[in-house]
Amino acid sequence: MAQLINGKQLSAQVLAQVAEDVQQLTAERGVCPGLAVVLVGEDPASQVYVRNKVRSATTAGIRSIEHRLEASTDQQTLNALVAQLNNDPEVHGILVQLPLPPQLDEAQIIAAINPEKDVDGFHPLNVGALASAQPGLVPCTPLGCMIMLQQAHDDLSGKHAVVIGRSNIVGKPMAALLLQASCTVTTVHSRSKNIEAICRQADILVAAVGRPEMVNADWVKPGATVIDVGINAIERDGARKLVGDVDFAAVEPVAGAITPVPGGVGPMTIACLMKNTLTAARRQLSVSNLAVAVRHA
Ligand code: NDP
């Protein structure tokens, strides 16, 4: 039976450590980290995510400021809000909840966020920092996956890691972090051939696809560590259910360690958002390498 990597428990530990560090920062510097969360429109899933983020901020002692804008908001209005948050010294982290309504240009908004406050780690400067192993802010989901992997492995060096998915928010940064940890990394995607056979070679298998229970027991090498990023809402036996990209019941007997859905990567993502907000606040209180780079850009 596989070791269960419990994201609920682990995220509580991460949040407790962030809360302790926030207290210390506030005591030493008189500053409480502030996280601005911007939600445009009324997408039900986004509303749930924002509610959970605000709740976790409270647990960590981080001041969260919510900005809710109408679904019809135009680019200029959103840009003006981002500019205002960029200039607000009490805001250390800015999160614009994605996806945005279709009239808004996501890439332009992400690029408008001050990279030092980009707690999602999506700004091109942070993407470049990760790719070149420079200090920056790392996307929350892959960061959470790395913490989970460190639970199961003392040393990741030399392991063959296969990442299914190449999105900017999960697959690509995940592969970059695994490479930084000295894994041999393979990324597969919708155009890859022989995916099953490639996955079966993995010591570490990360599924970030968005296809319910796609990864079954035949895809997994016995003893491999399986990280399931997928969150898929399905109907089963007349009830709504959340499942991952991995068929948990089939894979769990084969894997050496596995994350569940729900209660796996999801809570770690939110805990890492708080970790990033603390990191951002700390860096803004001293001059970081990235700040120097940005000023000289
Ligand atoms: P995207 O849709 O942006 O990317 C999906 C990736 O999977 C793409 O690279 C795509 O390939 C690849 N893919 C699609 N179909 C196949 C297939 N049949 N075989 C192999 N590869 C395939 O999704 P995200 O990366 O944003 O999210 C992935 C999943 O993770 C979703 O379920 C999402 O809900 C979940 N998620 C969970 C989070 C959490 O906190 N737990 C946070 C973020 C996401 P191609 O590039 O060729 O199209």
Side-chain angles (χ1 to χ4, degrees), residues 257-279:
I258 189 167
T259 64
V261 176
V265 176
M268 288 303 289
T269 296
I270 297 185
C272 286
L273 175 65
M274 302 311 142
K275 200 170 156 60
N276 274 353
T277 305
L278 172 67
T279 303

Side-chain angles (χ1 to χ4, degrees), residues 130 133 142 145-147 149-150 153-161 173-185 204:
L130 175 59
C145 292
M146 289 306 289
I147 297 173
L149 282 171
Q150 281 149 8
H153 297 268
D154 293 333
D155 186 10
L156 294 171
S157 154
K159 305 252 183 259
H160 185 193
M174 187 73 232
L177 285 172
L178 289 162
L179 191 59
Q180 255 180 41
S182 298
C183 291
T184 302
V185 184
I204 292 163

Side-chain angles (χ1 to χ4, degrees), residues 160 162 186 188 192-202 219:
H160 185 193
V162 174
T186 307
V188 295
S192 299
K193 308 232 183 307
N194 305 319
I195 290 189
E196 275 188 52
I198 296 168
C199 290
R200 237 188 342 259
Q201 293 171 17
W219 296 41

Side-chain angles (χ1 to χ4, degrees), residues 35-288:
L35 171 66
V37 182
V38 180
L39 176 61
V40 187
E42 278 162 18
D43 176 63
S46 293
Q47 286 184 335
V48 172
Y49 291 140
V50 165
R51 206 178 312 134
N52 290 341
K53 286 169 186 176
V54 168
R55 193 183 304 139
S56 292
T58 308
T59 307
I62 289 171
R63 205 168 47 84
S64 67
I65 312 112
E66 255 184 276
H67 294 267
R68 287 177 180 260
L69 303 180
E70 285 182 12
S72 60
T73 299
D74 61 19
Q75 192 85 13
Q76 213 183 354
T77 308
L78 186 54
N79 271 330
L81 174 60
V82 168
Q84 178 203 316
L85 297 172
N86 281 342
N87 291 323
D88 185 341
E90 292 194 351
V91 170
H92 303 95
I94 302 171
L95 179 141
V96 178
Q97 184 65 46
L98 303 179
L100 290 171
Q103 77 275 14
L104 296 170
D105 179 345
E106 277 184 7
Q108 191 272 316
I109 293 294
I110 290 168
I113 296 173
N114 176 350
E116 286 200 329
K117 297 190 178 187
D118 167 41
V119 283
D120 257 339
F122 297 160
H123 189 286
L125 237 150
N126 282 317
V127 175
L130 175 59
S132 53
Q134 299 295 310
L137 290 162
V138 173
C140 305
T141 300
L143 188 58
C145 292
M146 289 306 289
I147 297 173
M148 295 180 112
L149 282 171
Q150 281 149 8
Q151 276 278 298
H153 297 268
D154 293 333
D155 186 10
L156 294 171
S157 154
K159 305 252 183 259
H160 185 193
V162 174
V163 181
I164 319 175
R166 55 171 165 177
S167 71
N168 289 338
I169 64 168
V170 190
K172 282 184 200 147
M174 187 73 232
L177 285 172
L178 289 162
L179 191 59
Q180 255 180 41
S182 298
C183 291
T184 302
V185 184
T186 307
T187 300
V188 295
H189 47 78
S190 70
R191 304 295 179 92
S192 299
K193 308 232 183 307
N194 305 319
I195 290 189
E196 275 188 52
I198 296 168
C199 290
R200 237 188 342 259
Q201 293 171 17
D203 302 308
I204 292 163
L205 183 60
V206 181
V209 191
R211 309 237 170 235
E213 299 176 334
M214 182 177 91
V215 175
N216 64 45
D218 296 341
W219 296 41
V220 177
K221 177 161 94 174
T225 298
V226 180
I227 306 285
D228 189 355
V229 180
I231 301 178
N232 308 290
I234 60 157
E235 288 258 329
R236 184 168 288 156
D237 305 327
R240 238 175 85 91
K241 202 175 173 236
L242 283 186
V243 298
D245 292 338
V246 175
D247 183 341
F248 185 90
V251 169
E252 194 264 350
V254 180
I258 189 167
T259 64
V261 176
V265 176
M268 288 303 289
T269 296
I270 297 185
C272 286
L273 175 65
M274 302 311 142
K275 200 170 156 60
N276 274 353
T277 305
L278 172 67
T279 303
R282 278 178 167 158
R283 290 198 185 140
Q284 283 159 54
L285 294 170
S286 59
V287 178
S288 71

